[in-house]
Amino acid sequence: MLKIAAEELKIIAQYIHEISGISLDQSKSYLFETRLGSIAEELGCTSYRALYDKARRDPAKKIERQIIDAISTNETLFFRDTSPFELLKHKIFPDIIDARAPRSPHTKSNIRIWSSASSTGQELYSIAMTLDELLGAQIKNFNFQLLGTDISDNVVKQASYGKYNKFEIERGLSRQTLQKYFTLFGDSWKVKDQLRGMVNFRKFNLMHPFTGLGKFDIIFCRNVAIYFTLEDRKKLFNKIADSLADDGYLIIGSTESLTGICSRFVPKRHLRAIFYQKK
Amino acid sequence: MNNLTILVVDDDPVIRRLLEQRLAKENYSVLLANDGSEAEKILKGSHIDVVLTDLMMPGTISGMEVIDMAKNLNRNIEVILITAHSSIDTAVEAMKKGAVDYLEKPINFTELFLRLEKIATMRAILRSAEDLRQAMDVTETNASGTIQHLELTVRDLQQKIDTIESILRDDATDSDSRIGEALNILLN
Ligand SMILES: C[S@@+](CC[C@H](N)C(=O)[O-])C[C@H]1O[C@@H](n2cnc3c(N)ncnc32)[C@H](O)[C@@H]1O
């Protein structure tokens, strides 16, 4: 494996931060080597400096995308942590549906949900399944928009395709849920059209301005800010506050906290879960 | 090191004996069955990691059926099929049923050991991934409890501070009663 030199470490770490917001620990050089070594070798680079120069000079930004795919941690699973989905079912969905109930039978209210670092899609599909289980046919009385975004092309592609191997399926899905929402596809499972039709995925970098995204009623921002610096986290949650409806809900990762990061939110507890609302 | 338990299913006693000796020499634990129904009994009664089965055997249970049987009992059992003269069709059918590999007779032991080692490595990796996940899960559950508690405590303290501040700033009341009220909230 290609070794990284101290001065290269600095340049590469800065570059990764610039393109993705991800702040890597420079004392862990193995992290850079295991994740970027094979890209460098594939491109015929004999040093990380050469890789950096090549990435900078690449007008199509293909190398930049490869680096982001390699550096991002896409670890996720269906119904991760369970409690946020219980919270959706018992508190958030009933409350939102009440608050957005159409005033006349001819109108439909929009209810917009955003999985803001959706990785391979398990989080958004879990939200969609929870919604479908709860509402059944009543789902048609509302105009639900479920959006998943991620910075990594690869994971957005997989999420859109909705195909999962048996290891991904085994994590978090019951037999019953699997049968209901997935069909066997060779050695893997594919999301059924009905569920696939409820969601949309696209590429989006959380470091960029949130223009054109609109307001959301529910935002999931889990296990992504942990990779950012304190400064970037502050900016991120400030932008999230701007894009959340006044009575909207924010869910963050089970080991994350907004203390000292964004005072525009207050934590609230329901059952065993915590969610945030704007002050 | 080789802690896999292997079940050899073959009707030929010479081959059974040969496989047993060679595998034992490599430190694998070996169990023997001379046909499908004996294999079934052993599979149901003991923990097996890998089944090495002949394709053609007398009796009612064929090698193909041994694959189904093993896989139905435990999806984690790996099956390697041994065939006298392999055809692509048989191999494909065996793979579809979940066999990981097939070998032709006469058995090339170097090849067999390589495949077993691959299975052992794969299992060790899966096991360590599972261990890591569980360790992470325990850490996360603990941390999340602590963080929830801190998050709510900070919120409550902040609310207290805000109330106290507005009481203390309230010019309409005399300072003694403001201090009294503020102390009351602090001590509550
Ligand atoms: C650990 S996954 C979290 C997935 C899911 N939210 C969960 O909690 O299971 C983190 C994801 O954040 C994405 N990510 C990292 N930096 C990002 C950025 N600047 N903008 C958008 N997504 C980003 C990564 O590509 C990765 O898929």
Side-chain angles (χ1 to χ4, degrees):
Chain A
M1 184 72 66
L2 196 56
K3 286 270 161 213
I4 191 160
E7 64 275 13
E8 289 178 319
L9 211 69
K10 218 168 144 189
I11 297 170
I12 295 271
Q14 216 157 34
Y15 174 66
I16 288 170
H17 178 251
E18 178 192 321
I19 59 177
S20 69
I22 297 171
S23 155
L24 291 169
D25 186 346
Q26 289 185 39
S27 67
K28 295 186 174 139
S29 52
Y30 69 88
L31 234 163
F32 294 78
E33 289 166 355
T34 51
R35 297 203 170 202
L36 298 181
S38 53
I39 297 183
E41 276 162 24
E42 240 172 66
L43 294 169
C45 301
T46 50
S47 71
Y48 290 91
R49 173 79 217 200
L51 175 65
Y52 168 78
D53 290 337
K54 212 169 194 160
R56 277 266 184 239
R57 268 189 273 109
D58 173 17
K61 300 206 169 183
K62 194 168 162 251
I63 304 173
E64 178 183 306
R65 287 201 295 274
Q66 265 182 296
I67 292 177
I68 289 175
D69 285 341
I71 221 76
S72 57
T73 303
N74 304 314
E75 165 78 5
T76 187
L77 64 150
F78 288 104
F79 297 100
R80 182 174 193 165
D81 302 329
T82 330
S83 72
F85 302 94
E86 293 291 307
L87 181 72
L88 282 179
K89 186 169 147 196
H90 296 294
K91 164 108 188 121
I92 298 182
F93 283 150
D95 283 3
I96 282 274
I97 283 162
D98 245 12
R100 304 281 185 279
R103 278 176 217 110
S104 89
H106 308 294
T107 58
K108 274 190 191 179
S109 325
N110 287 340
I111 298 181
R112 305 188 68 227
I113 306 170
W114 182 26
S115 163
S116 66
S118 48
S119 187
T120 36
Q122 284 90 328
E123 183 172 270
L124 193 61
Y125 285 121
S126 302
I127 297 173
M129 288 185 273
T130 308
L131 190 59
D132 185 67
E133 288 282 340
L134 185 72
L135 287 192
Q138 273 190 54
I139 228 168
K140 291 193 197 72
N141 301 341
F142 295 88
N143 187 11
F144 279 103
Q145 293 174 22
L146 278 66
L147 175 69
T149 61
D150 200 284
I151 194 178
S152 157
D153 285 281
N154 269 348
V155 296
V156 170
K157 226 182 276 164
Q158 196 194 323
S160 292
Y161 198 51
K163 199 178 103 184
Y164 299 94
N165 67 35
K166 67 172 185 176
F167 297 107
E168 293 165 326
I169 287 292
E170 270 168 18
R171 300 181 68 194
L173 283 182
S174 71
R175 270 269 132 206
Q176 226 181 350
T177 315
L178 182 62
Q179 298 294 354
K180 186 164 173 191
Y181 295 105
F182 295 78
T183 35
L184 197 57
F185 192 78
D187 216 15
S188 314
W189 294 82
K190 215 171 162 198
V191 172
K192 285 188 182 164
D193 289 346
Q194 167 223 357
L195 187 66
R196 178 63 191 83
M198 291 175 69
V199 300
N200 269 302
F201 291 97
R202 65 184 167 90
K203 183 173 164 163
F204 181 73
N205 181 349
L206 291 169
M207 290 296 115
H208 292 170
F210 285 11
T211 38
L213 280 176
K215 292 253 182 194
F216 294 95
D217 300 292
I218 304 169
I219 299 179
F220 274 63
C221 184
R222 300 198 302 158
N223 307 303
V224 61
I226 47 174
Y227 301 103
F228 301 158
T229 62
L230 189 62
E231 240 6 82
D232 288 332
R233 281 184 216 184
K234 286 181 182 170
K235 285 187 202 143
L236 171 62
F237 284 104
N238 206 26
K239 287 188 285 185
I240 287 183
D242 290 338
S243 2
L244 188 66
D246 286 335
D247 59 350
Y249 297 80
L250 167 67
I251 315 281
I252 65 175
S254 73
T255 55
E256 295 179 85
S257 151
L258 291 186
T259 299
I261 290 177
C262 189
S263 55
R264 294 171 66 189
F265 289 106
V266 256
K268 297 181 182 171
R269 196 210 293 267
H270 183 82
L271 302 172
R272 273 205 257 122
I274 289 222
F275 59 94
Y276 293 80
Q277 287 200 292
K278 289 209 263 184
K279 266 189 183 154
Chain B
M1 254 317 278
N2 290 327
N3 44 18
L4 294 179
T5 304
I6 299 172
L7 171 63
V8 172
V9 193
D10 203 305
D11 58 308
D12 183 340
V14 179
I15 295 196
R16 277 204 307 273
R17 181 56 110 27
L18 180 66
L19 276 165
E20 182 183 27
Q21 284 174 354
R22 298 295 304 262
L23 288 168
K25 222 173 127 194
E26 298 291 317
N27 276 328
Y28 291 103
S29 314
V30 189
L31 294 171
L32 301 174
N34 59 21
D35 63 15
S37 47
E38 214 177 282
E40 186 171 19
K41 271 185 222 137
I42 296 178
L43 278 167
K44 283 183 174 157
S46 27
H47 171 85
I48 302 291
D49 297 300
V50 182
V51 176
L52 218 62
T53 181
D54 192 12
L55 180 63
M56 306 289 228
M57 285 177 299
T60 47
I61 303 176
S62 72
M64 282 296 176
E65 283 163 313
V66 171
I67 304 181
D68 278 336
M69 220 162 61
K71 284 283 170 186
N72 281 336
L73 275 171
N74 179 355
R75 290 223 47 94
N76 296 325
I77 295 178
E78 304 292 4
V79 185
I80 298 176
L81 201 64
I82 299 170
T83 64
H85 41 76
S86 75
S87 70
I88 294 289
D89 288 348
T90 341
V92 169
E93 200 196 332
M95 298 293 204
K96 269 196 189 145
K97 286 184 182 293
V100 276
D101 241 320
Y102 75 99
L103 290 174
E104 272 180 57
K105 282 182 188 171
I107 297 167
N108 176 335
F109 282 95
T110 319
E111 208 175 315
L112 174 62
F113 294 149
L114 271 177
R115 293 186 189 184
L116 289 173
E117 237 168 78
K118 224 168 154 185
I119 292 175
T121 311
M122 188 60 159
R123 298 208 152 199
I125 292 173
L126 284 177
R127 174 67 210 259
S128 95
E130 195 46 47
D131 282 359
L132 278 175
R133 255 174 212 153
Q134 276 175 16
M136 194 176 82
D137 208 42
V138 172
T139 313
E140 269 192 18
T141 308
N142 270 306
S144 104
T146 311
I147 289 164
Q148 274 201 3
H149 176 72
L150 287 174
E151 203 78 334
L152 296 174
T153 309
V154 170
R155 173 196 68 185
D156 295 344
L157 288 175
Q158 187 62 49
Q159 276 166 3
K160 251 188 194 176
I161 292 171
D162 292 348
T163 321
I164 291 172
E165 186 184 350
S166 67
I167 289 169
L168 290 177
R169 283 189 192 284
D170 178 13
D171 295 337
T173 328
D174 70 274
S175 33
D176 276 357
S177 46
R178 274 190 258 164
I179 291 171
E181 219 180 311
L183 272 176
N184 244 344
I185 287 173
L186 255 185
L187 300 174
N188 253 325

